[in-house]
Amino acid sequence: MIRPLIAGNWKMNGLLASLDIMREMESGLSSLQDKADCLICPPATLLASMAAEKSTSRLKLGGQDCHSESSGAHTGDTAAEMVADAGGSYVIVGHSERRADHGESSEIVATKMKAAFRAGITPIICIGETLDEREGGKTLDVVSDQLAVSIPDEASGTDFVVAYEPVWAIGTGKVATVEQVAEIHDAIRAALENRFGAQGAGTPILYGGSMKPENAAGLLALSNVNGGLIGGASLKAADFLAIYAACVSQL
Ligand code: 13P
């Protein structure tokens, strides 16, 4: 059985005052069963402060992106080693907002995954189709191509996490139906098993895209949904904890 992961992506939100949200999450977690991992990926500016302030190992921290190199002349970028040094144990790579805003191809994402392995942290690789691609019947092709190219040969199947995030469902309030999510997650599982054999059966696959307390239970009940990557609802401790509670109550 795969240990679920409930992960929050704060995106470009959060100031030092947001440490209060983390404290609220930590205290809420203490009354919930420890049956799933819990992760927050704050902006890079907050990672070290949150790590210093954190009082429980139940809440893990991560970065939202990393560069492929470990250091050098790359203004504005963050090395995977820096994420680890600041207290992160995970890093999101290939988020659709980075693919769109920064032109990150799956080939580039693969170099970032390698950097995460080099730094000893777990990459969460994001894949997902746009609305045009879905309406054009290309969802499975897009997702399987992103999966194949973004994951480097160094990966073993159990050393990374996949997040399926349909672009049209991110931050829009539109959620993929349970049937749509089941279809794609089952296809991702089949692709992972095909590439990594038995280890591909153990890769956590998260759903992301307007996951909220109201829809989390139905999505998390699907056999190949092993958690969530949550944007907006991870900025409110009560909502994030409600999603975590919905997850552990099913185990
Ligand atoms: P929302 O939950 O705000 O739709 O964002 C999802 C996401 O992009 C997480 O990485």
Side-chain angles (χ1 to χ4, degrees):
M1 146 120 199
I2 299 174
R3 186 171 162 90
L5 172 63
I6 300 298
N9 174 8
W10 281 8
K11 309 191 179 184
M12 199 172 72
N13 298 291
L15 301 172
L16 277 176
S18 314
L19 265 66
D20 284 345
I21 303 174
M22 182 189 79
R23 292 186 196 102
E24 215 184 310
M25 285 175 179
E26 287 186 301
S27 92
L29 270 180
S30 64
S31 56
L32 295 167
Q33 295 185 78
D34 187 2
K35 288 186 174 175
D37 287 329
C38 188
L39 166 70
I40 291 292
C41 298
T45 48
L46 285 184
L47 192 51
S49 319
M50 286 175 68
E53 180 68 20
K54 199 163 71 73
S55 61
T56 168
S57 57
R58 283 191 62 187
L59 185 68
K60 299 176 196 317
L61 298 173
Q64 297 178 8
D65 175 52
C66 67
H67 194 273
S68 58
E69 304 290 325
S70 55
S71 65
H74 302 288
T75 303
D77 278 314
T78 307
E81 282 79 359
M82 293 170 176
V83 173
D85 188 51
S89 49
Y90 287 83
V91 65
I92 298 168
V93 292
H95 192 281
S96 61
E97 287 151 14
R98 297 227 35 112
R99 290 180 189 260
D101 296 355
H102 301 271
E104 287 184 10
S105 63
S106 291
E107 286 80 2
I108 291 173
V109 175
T111 67
K112 293 179 179 230
M113 268 187 88
K114 281 199 235 182
F117 292 144
R118 186 187 65 223
I121 58 177
T122 305
I124 300 175
I125 152 83
C126 300
I127 55 175
E129 81 287 2
T130 62
L131 189 57
D132 276 357
E133 288 164 343
R134 174 157 287 270
E135 287 176 351
K138 296 186 192 136
T139 300
L140 280 172
D141 286 346
V142 168
V143 166
S144 58
D145 183 63
Q146 286 178 335
L147 201 59
V149 182
S150 305
I151 301 175
D153 291 341
E154 287 80 353
S156 75
T158 51
D159 50 5
F160 64 92
V161 174
V162 174
Y164 169 58
E165 301 204 311
V167 177
W168 49 270
I170 294 178
T172 58
K174 285 185 198 158
V175 190
T177 64
V178 166
E179 292 74 25
Q180 287 170 326
V181 175
E183 182 197 13
I184 306 303
H185 279 240
D186 290 353
I188 293 170
R189 176 68 65 213
L192 290 168
E193 287 180 345
N194 190 33
R195 178 156 170 196
F196 297 105
Q199 294 207 304
T203 312
I205 310 175
L206 315 183
Y207 172 76
S210 298
M211 188 183 271
K212 306 218 170 337
E214 308 83 70
N215 59 33
L219 293 162
L220 293 165
L222 296 170
S223 60
N224 281 318
V225 174
N226 313 115
L229 183 55
I230 300 132
S234 73
L235 292 164
K236 290 190 192 129
D239 286 358
F240 190 64
L241 289 165
I243 295 172
Y244 184 91
C247 178
V248 294
S249 71
Q250 298 184 354
L251 303 171

